[in-house]
């Protein structure tokens, strides 16, 4: 699971700010999608597409000139889909990190004809990875149930 881990670092600039002088959620969503895409491409060794974002929780704000750290990691793999957790932090000049956002993004691997293709399994190696994998399976089952209910 750790082999596809990806980090992206941004300096929050004035063009990334909303009317409340905080990080604009749409900009953060773009960065999250890029990080999730890189994680999924690394795992699947193929092109991918975003299928859904089913959890996007804003925990605290970020302001101009902040250092923003995004960390993405595979949490669960199905047949053709991968769940990627992307956590976003504000990093102070002392190196302390504060969680801004946690998102779960579902990516689907694509073959050369842009059709879903099978992805490699993941093997949790730590207790934390095993717990995240089990939680990912529950989220996968919940997404499946919601699709059946036309949610």
């Amino acid at each position: 699971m750790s082999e596809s881990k990806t980090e992206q670092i941004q300096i929050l600039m004035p063009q990334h700010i909303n009317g409340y002088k905080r990080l604009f959620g749409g900009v953060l969503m773009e960065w999250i999608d890029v990080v999730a895409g890189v994680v999924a491409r690394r795992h699947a060794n193929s092109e991918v597409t975003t299928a859904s974002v089913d959890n996007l929780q804003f925990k605290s704000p970020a302001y101009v000139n902040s250092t923003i750290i995004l960390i993405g990691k595979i949490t669960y793999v199905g047949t053709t889909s991968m769940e990627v957790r992307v956590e976003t932090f504000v990093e102070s000049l002392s190196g302390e990190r504060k969680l801004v956002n946690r998102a779960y993004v579902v990516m689907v691997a694509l073959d050369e004809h842009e059709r879903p293709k099978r992805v490699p399994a993941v093997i949790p190696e730590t207790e934390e990875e095993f717990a995240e994998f089990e939680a990912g399976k529950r989220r996968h089952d919940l997404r499946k149930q919601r699709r059946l209910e036309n949610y």
Side-chain angles (χ1 to χ4, degrees):
M1 292 174 81
S2 61
E3 289 179 16
S4 58
K5 182 178 176 180
T6 299
E7 280 193 35
Q8 181 186 69
I9 301 167
Q10 300 280 344
I11 299 292
L12 203 52
M13 305 299 276
Q15 66 266 27
H16 303 136
I17 300 302
N18 66 19
Y20 293 104
K21 299 183 181 177
R22 299 177 179 181
L23 171 59
F24 180 54
V27 168
L28 181 57
M29 187 58 221
E30 177 183 355
W31 294 344
I32 288 168
D33 197 36
V34 168
V35 170
V38 171
V39 169
R41 288 169 65 137
R42 286 178 170 173
H43 180 75
N45 296 314
S46 70
E47 296 297 335
V48 298
T49 190
T50 306
S52 69
V53 179
D54 65 11
N55 195 349
L56 188 62
Q57 298 179 7
F58 293 90
K59 304 287 187 180
S60 57
Y63 302 96
V64 169
N65 208 33
S66 296
T67 301
I68 306 296
I69 311 289
L70 294 98
I71 302 172
K73 187 175 177 184
I74 292 280
T75 52
Y76 178 78
V77 170
T79 304
T80 62
S81 66
M82 299 153 279
E83 181 188 75
V84 180
R85 180 186 70 213
V86 180
E87 292 181 312
T88 304
F89 300 90
V90 171
E91 185 178 82
S92 69
L93 294 176
S94 69
E96 181 182 342
R97 292 181 179 180
K98 183 175 183 178
L99 184 67
V100 169
N101 186 286
R102 178 175 294 129
Y104 288 92
V105 182
V106 177
M107 307 296 289
V108 174
L110 300 174
D111 67 15
E112 62 277 1
H113 304 289
E114 297 187 5
R115 291 182 291 221
K117 71 174 242 182
R118 183 174 288 279
V119 294
V122 292
I123 302 169
E125 296 174 338
T126 66
E127 285 185 35
E128 178 187 342
E129 288 177 346
F130 183 76
E132 188 69 67
F133 182 84
E134 289 299 314
K137 181 167 180 14
R138 288 190 300 275
R139 287 186 294 270
H140 172 79
D141 293 343
L142 180 58
R143 281 188 221 91
K144 187 176 181 180
Q145 182 63 36
R146 286 179 173 170
R147 279 193 308 273
L148 292 172
E149 295 172 359
N150 291 317
Y151 179 77

